[in-house]
Amino acid sequence: MTTDTVSNVLTKLRNANLARHQVVQIPLTNVTLNMCRVLKEEGFIGNFEEILENGFKYILVSLRYKGTSRVPIISTLKRISKPGLRVYVNSREIPSVLGGLGIAILSTSKGFMTGEQASRVGLGGEVLCYIW
């Protein structure tokens, strides 16, 4: 059992992308569900659904690829805030990822959102990861 849920999600998505899998199974927690919601809203994943099987809850995430060569939409997943070193920013310090091509996922007092959404609302929070 992994104690760092965010790193677990990022690693599973990264490995599934490298292996060109169509779907990946992620353990269901509030954190993973909110991260999948943000990734779907931003177009990095196709769809996700909650599954209950044999008493275990998990999420099936459908990955997106472009073209017939199946180039992954997600090229890089980078963990920023770690259990040993948390990274917090206020609304004026939210970083721009790749000049706006990528997203920063933040955990705010109003839930998980992208850096752009958080700066529009005027919220800061913990910077979980960068995705592009």
Side-chain angles (χ1 to χ4, degrees), residues 111-123:
F112 282 47
M113 58 183 71
T114 64
E116 186 179 311
Q117 292 169 338
S119 64
R120 260 192 311 228
V121 177
L123 287 173

Side-chain angles (χ1 to χ4, degrees), residues 6-18:
V6 175
S7 289
N8 187 27
V9 170
L10 296 178
T11 301
K12 284 183 177 279
L13 289 174
R14 184 181 304 114
N15 289 342
N17 261 337
L18 289 173

Side-chain angles (χ1 to χ4, degrees), residues 2-3 5 10 12 24-25 30 32 36 39-40 53 63 68 76 78 81-82 85 95-96 100 122 126 131:
T2 321
T3 56
T5 310
L10 296 178
K12 284 183 177 279
V24 63
Q25 179 178 325
N30 287 335
T32 58
C36 287
L39 289 174
K40 182 176 182 337
E53 187 176 283
L63 300 174
T68 56
T76 305
K78 187 174 180 186
S81 185
K82 299 173 182 157
L85 178 65
S96 174
E126 182 180 0
I131 299 174

Side-chain angles (χ1 to χ4, degrees), residues 55-130:
F56 294 105
K57 295 180 180 179
Y58 58 91
I59 302 172
L60 273 182
V61 178
S62 171
L63 300 174
R64 292 187 60 212
Y65 300 95
K66 56 185 166 191
T68 56
S69 60
R70 294 178 48 88
V71 178
I73 297 290
I74 299 173
S75 62
T76 305
L77 300 147
K78 187 174 180 186
R79 179 79 155 113
I80 303 302
S81 185
K82 299 173 182 157
L85 178 65
R86 301 290 183 182
V87 178
Y88 296 96
V89 294
N90 63 30
S91 61
R92 294 178 305 281
E93 298 171 339
I94 295 174
S96 174
V97 180
L98 241 62
L101 295 177
I103 63 168
I105 297 181
L106 272 69
S107 174
T108 68
S109 59
K110 302 287 185 194
F112 282 47
M113 58 183 71
T114 64
E116 186 179 311
Q117 292 169 338
S119 64
R120 260 192 311 228
V121 177
L123 287 173
E126 182 180 0
V127 182
L128 298 176
C129 60
Y130 297 155

